[in-house]
Amino acid sequence: MPVLTRPDGVRLYYELHGPGDAPALILLEGLGGDIPGWRRNIPVLARECRVIAYDFRGNGNSDEPPGPATMGTFVDDTLALLDELRVERAHVYGQSFGGMVAQEMALTRPERVRTSILACTHPGPRHAVRAKGSKVPKGEPWRSMYSLGFPDRHPEHVAEDLRIGAAQPKHPEGGRRQWEAMQGFDSFDRLPGLDVPTLVLHGTEDLAVSPENARLLAERIPGAELVLLEGAGHLYHSEQAEAAVAAVLDFVRRHERD
């Protein structure tokens, strides 16, 4: 099992997919996420990219964080992994919490970021547009991760997501540390200075993070492109994997040609 051990002793689990000489694309998962959450995306992304997938400290097969963490902690972990793999610049694709890590990385270490792909995320709690939300049945909070009605229309799809998610290691301490890092994150005033080609991706029926945050990010980041996946929820990359991958690869292809 490939791991990178950080100076504080935390071991980060990672996987590599796709040709070694292809453009590097690193996947930054959501709060409490894990690599299997990308399973509907990685095989197609890996046809054209060297996909680097890793579990944040406190997620999946990586270790718990030994103490408090900031968004900078997760940026440093990401940079250390790129250094380990001898990747000078990567396309950085962050989903939800990972989208905040991607923002911080593009703002503080733009020379390491080929492009930034920010999915179903926001600029920090202080300026985030609150999701209107929707009532979900008691005991089924996972429904808020999908667009309204999707679990009932696609029960087998959702059952697979839940089964695979339940099989992954659980890290309550890691989730708390990531939540704390998110509470201290605020990119809003810095976004006009973000000088990296950026794609903002969001589902129009996201019940967890309002799609208005995508419009907010796209407006504040110079030259950002906005792609809204009609009818998709927070787990857009599960609900509409084909459309999500197509949008990402189109963006990467165009900037590789440039």
Side-chain angles (χ1 to χ4, degrees):
M1 187 169 75
V3 296
L4 170 68
T5 302
R6 301 290 287 125
D8 59 3
V10 171
R11 294 172 303 168
L12 303 175
Y13 170 72
Y14 67 92
E15 295 179 4
L16 301 176
H17 300 266
D21 59 350
L25 172 70
I26 190 163
L27 305 179
L28 306 182
E29 61 207 14
L31 190 153
D34 47 55
I35 293 172
W38 295 99
R39 71 191 182 283
R40 301 182 192 275
N41 301 247
I42 287 176
V44 181
L45 291 171
R47 293 174 188 168
E48 300 184 35
C49 298
R50 184 191 189 194
V51 177
I52 305 164
Y54 89 98
D55 288 330
F56 285 137
R57 54 176 62 211
N59 279 359
N61 286 303
S62 291
D63 290 343
E64 293 276 20
T70 66
M71 209 60 71
T73 305
F74 297 95
V75 170
D76 289 343
D77 285 346
T78 303
L79 291 170
L81 179 55
L82 293 180
D83 289 342
E84 175 75 8
L85 299 173
R86 299 182 180 180
V87 174
E88 184 176 349
R89 299 174 76 206
H91 298 276
V92 180
Y93 179 8
Q95 185 258 347
S96 197
F97 176 81
M100 299 176 214
V101 179
Q103 290 174 63
E104 188 67 22
M105 187 167 165
L107 286 163
T108 59
R109 296 298 302 274
E111 75 281 2
R112 303 299 300 273
V113 181
R114 180 70 185 87
T115 67
S116 182
I117 300 161
L118 311 176
C120 62
T121 191
H122 59 67
R126 183 181 172 194
H127 293 97
V129 179
R130 290 183 178 275
K132 295 179 181 178
S134 178
K135 289 185 178 180
V136 298
K138 190 174 181 180
E140 297 184 333
W142 49 267
R143 283 183 173 266
S144 65
M145 295 292 100
Y146 297 92
S147 59
L148 198 62
F150 184 88
D152 300 311
R153 296 191 302 273
H154 305 278
E156 293 182 359
H157 181 115
V158 173
E160 179 186 307
D161 284 354
L162 295 176
R163 183 176 65 255
I164 290 176
Q168 307 310 309
K170 298 297 179 283
H171 300 277
E173 179 67 11
R176 182 169 75 89
R177 294 305 187 187
Q178 290 173 28
W179 179 262
E180 291 171 352
M182 182 173 66
Q183 299 313 301
F185 173 69
D186 188 352
S187 66
F188 185 83
D189 290 334
R190 297 180 289 157
L191 289 176
L194 199 158
D195 191 23
V196 169
T198 301
L199 171 67
V200 181
L201 186 63
H202 214 115
T204 63
E205 301 301 320
D206 191 333
L207 304 178
V209 176
S210 171
E212 291 304 313
N213 288 291
R215 296 185 177 91
L216 177 64
L217 291 171
E219 288 171 0
R220 294 192 64 78
I221 299 171
E225 298 182 25
L226 175 63
V227 172
L228 298 175
L229 299 176
E230 190 63 37
H234 194 62
L235 294 182
Y236 69 94
H237 59 312
S238 175
E239 287 188 36
Q240 296 188 18
E242 185 175 345
V245 167
V248 170
L249 287 179
D250 173 70
F251 186 70
V252 168
R253 283 188 207 111
R254 285 189 282 115
H255 287 281
E256 282 298 312
R257 285 197 298 268
D258 293 344

